[in-house]
Amino acid sequence: MIRKTTLGLIICFTIGLGHAQTKIDPKTIADKMHWFEDAKLGIFIHAGIYSVNGIDESWSFHNKKISYADYMKQLKGFTLSKYDPATWADLIKESGARYAVITTKHHDGVAMYDTKQSDLNIVKKTPANRDMVKPFFDELRKRDIKCGAYFSLIDWSNKFYPGFLKDSSRYEVQNDYDRWNTFRMFFQGQITEIANTLKPDLWWFDGDWEHSAEEWEAEKVRRIILSRNKNAIINGRLQGYGDYTTPEQNFPVTRPPFNWWELCMTINDNWGFQPQDQNWKTPYEIITIFVDAVANGGNLLLDIGPKEDGTIPDQEVNVLKELGAWNKKNGEAIFGTKAGLPAGHFYGASTMSKDSTTLYLFVPAKTVGTLMIKGLDNKIEDITVVGNGAKLTPKVVGKISWSKVPGLVYIDLPENVQDKYMTVLKVKLDKPVKLYRGEGGL
């Protein structure tokens, strides 16, 4: 059985291993989620043959922007002639990211690794003639970065798959279950070989919307993965059999009501490399999005789209380097922290230490005026600017001796101590944070 929230976050379930039953309880899930909870930042990599023409990954032929035949001609132009997985891993390390996720296979069915389940892979069908994923994972692990595998459950190139988005031009699952079983053996075979040879720390599934958990055999897929790595983490796109939820592109306006979540977002407007898309997010925009995610208890999985030759566009390199420099300076307020103050206590993002005795307040660059904290029922022992150590002196106003309502805390932030993107204030408290949540009065 499975019990889950409306957003598919697993609470607990029982899976069958032969005749045995293994119960996965919330504590087991929580134990393996520790590194993910503390990681905060991952880098997503959409690498595929779609970078040859710089078009939408898989969707371009589905949406009839290009014919399927012309789309697949891109196989001939995918070279990886300048691909250096060590350079990629160095850049990801420099960004401050604790994990990276790369496409092993998108909806087009082209495997980016040396699959034995099909000839449709870049080792056999492209001039690259090499496995892209394994050497990248090897380099990540040398740098103590967790490895994630994106895998599309749907495969629009496989003749045994029903079709595009329930298009019945091939067949309906209920009318030809033998054919569907052949496809299930194929995609589960790919998952098995990835689990055996690449041993991902995290699985990032996509495409689950086209079929039910029963049709995918989602419980079995989870069992395949965990039988090879009991600590593997699975995203929320396995029809309810994942460990965390994944909003895409759009940031939650209110704090999500579940334990683990991850915002996946592009640096410009597209996942893969598209040279015509020059709508690059600035380092400031990326940092503010990142901070908002962390302040609300989540992670950011920031996407980049490499070119067909294996190089990363300069604009993406610049953003990752700037993000990395900011993380190096302000990382104590990000990594290993937990969600900050509830809305209304501070007009901005915040995090706090795991023991709740330190608050971190995030202030956009060139802020003019005085900062304010409301409802903080603590004594402030010290306020410093993270990264330069400048000390600030708070002023408490409106505190009445006979009232339980705490005063307002005002903090002046001089311009000369501000970061060029976002300044972080470290507020040391006398004890774990205590907040007044009342309506004022006596």
Side-chain angles (χ1 to χ4, degrees):
M1 65 168 289
I2 176 169
R3 293 190 289 116
K4 57 185 181 177
T5 70
T6 55
L7 289 172
L9 181 66
I10 285 182
I11 297 174
C12 71
F13 59 89
T14 302
I15 58 175
L17 295 171
H19 295 292
Q21 294 288 314
T22 301
K23 185 175 181 180
I24 307 298
D25 61 23
K27 184 179 184 304
T28 301
I29 296 176
D31 286 345
K32 73 173 184 176
M33 294 300 292
H34 281 319
W35 75 259
F36 181 84
E37 181 179 319
D38 289 341
K40 308 304 183 188
L41 179 63
I43 302 301
F44 208 177
I45 303 167
H46 271 68
I49 65 169
Y50 36 84
S51 61
V52 173
N53 289 350
I55 56 177
D56 300 344
E57 64 289 340
S58 304
W59 292 98
S60 53
F61 67 83
H62 168 268
N63 292 326
K64 298 180 172 56
K65 293 182 179 179
I66 185 174
S67 70
Y68 175 77
D70 285 342
Y71 180 94
M72 297 308 289
K73 286 179 182 178
Q74 293 177 104
L75 287 164
K76 298 177 181 178
F78 192 76
T79 67
L80 291 185
S81 58
K82 299 178 182 178
Y83 176 47
D84 183 355
T87 298
W88 282 24
D90 282 340
L91 179 61
I92 290 167
K93 184 74 172 181
E94 185 177 353
S95 76
R98 276 29 177 190
Y99 63 107
V101 179
I102 189 172
T103 45
T104 62
K105 186 184 75 170
H106 208 271
H107 311 329
D108 58 15
V110 180
M112 308 305 292
Y113 71 100
D114 191 13
T115 179
K116 302 300 186 292
Q117 301 295 317
S118 165
D119 286 344
L120 187 54
N121 62 74
I122 61 170
V123 179
K124 296 179 180 177
K125 293 293 186 180
T126 74
N129 192 32
R130 62 188 295 193
D131 184 317
M132 191 175 195
V133 182
K134 186 179 185 306
F136 179 54
F137 276 17
D138 289 344
E139 293 297 335
L140 290 177
R141 288 184 168 125
K142 289 177 185 177
R143 293 157 180 81
D144 197 28
I145 299 171
K146 297 288 187 181
C147 301
Y150 169 104
F151 184 87
S152 173
L153 294 164
I154 57 182
D155 189 325
W156 290 333
S157 288
N158 190 290
K159 66 181 181 180
F160 295 105
Y161 191 75
F164 302 161
L165 292 176
K166 299 187 182 295
D167 179 351
S168 60
S169 60
R170 291 179 180 168
Y171 70 98
E172 295 281 359
V173 170
Q174 63 269 25
N175 296 333
D176 197 342
Y177 231 72
D178 286 343
R179 193 172 181 182
W180 176 245
N181 275 328
T182 299
F183 176 73
R184 285 199 301 202
M185 289 176 62
F186 163 73
F187 91 80
Q188 290 172 14
Q190 288 192 320
I191 289 172
T192 299
E193 67 184 359
I194 291 171
N196 286 337
T197 60
L198 299 174
K199 300 177 174 59
D201 302 296
L202 183 150
W203 288 77
W204 214 99
F205 285 109
D206 202 6
D208 68 331
W209 61 80
E210 288 203 1
H211 298 280
S212 66
E214 179 184 8
E215 288 175 337
W216 288 124
E217 294 184 323
E219 182 179 341
K220 178 183 176 183
V221 170
R222 184 178 177 94
R223 186 168 68 246
I224 289 170
I225 291 169
L226 296 182
S227 68
R228 285 147 177 90
N229 178 5
K230 66 180 181 179
N231 293 317
I233 292 172
I234 302 170
N235 79 330
R237 299 187 181 188
L238 190 59
Q239 287 291 7
Y241 284 80
D243 299 315
Y244 70 93
T245 195
T246 312
E248 181 173 329
Q249 295 285 46
N250 296 306
F251 186 85
V253 175
T254 59
R255 186 171 296 180
F258 29 82
N259 290 332
W260 305 288
W261 66 274
E262 167 197 76
L263 170 65
C264 59
M265 182 170 278
T266 53
I267 282 185
N268 53 7
D269 292 334
N270 289 279
W271 295 104
F273 172 68
Q274 294 196 32
Q276 78 281 3
D277 181 2
Q278 296 296 311
N279 191 27
W280 302 102
K281 296 178 180 69
T282 66
Y284 170 76
E285 291 165 348
I286 291 296
I287 289 169
T288 55
I289 292 167
F290 175 41
V291 166
D292 268 348
V294 175
N296 283 285
N299 292 3
L300 174 64
L301 183 63
L302 180 63
D303 180 72
I304 60 175
K307 301 177 182 180
E308 61 78 21
D309 63 1
T311 59
I312 298 172
D314 291 341
Q315 296 91 336
E316 295 178 343
V317 171
N318 177 63
V319 168
L320 294 188
K321 285 180 176 290
E322 290 294 291
L323 176 58
W326 186 88
N327 277 328
K328 186 175 182 180
K329 177 181 177 182
N330 299 286
E332 72 167 274
I334 294 289
F335 303 105
T337 62
K338 61 182 182 180
L341 298 171
H345 288 278
F346 175 68
Y347 296 118
S350 65
T351 60
M352 62 179 74
S353 59
K354 287 291 183 68
D355 65 4
S356 302
T357 62
T358 302
L359 289 176
Y360 295 98
L361 309 178
F362 296 85
V363 185
K366 299 180 181 178
T367 293
V368 177
T370 304
L371 311 175
M372 182 178 69
I373 309 173
K374 293 194 296 185
L376 182 62
D377 195 8
N378 288 84
K379 178 184 176 182
I380 295 176
E381 295 186 339
D382 190 44
I383 301 180
T384 55
V385 179
V386 175
N388 65 36
K391 290 186 176 294
L392 305 178
T393 302
K395 179 183 179 181
V396 179
V397 303
K399 172 60 180 168
I400 303 172
S401 61
W402 42 263
S403 174
K404 65 180 180 181
V405 182
L408 303 173
V409 178
Y410 286 92
I411 308 168
D412 283 324
L413 180 61
E415 185 176 351
N416 67 329
V417 301
Q418 294 187 38
D419 183 84
K420 68 177 180 177
Y421 294 127
M422 181 165 284
T423 308
V424 184
L425 306 188
K426 180 179 182 178
V427 182
K428 289 288 293 179
L429 306 175
D430 61 333
K431 58 186 177 183
V433 63
K434 181 181 178 184
L435 299 175
Y436 173 76
R437 302 285 286 169
E439 298 177 355
L442 300 178

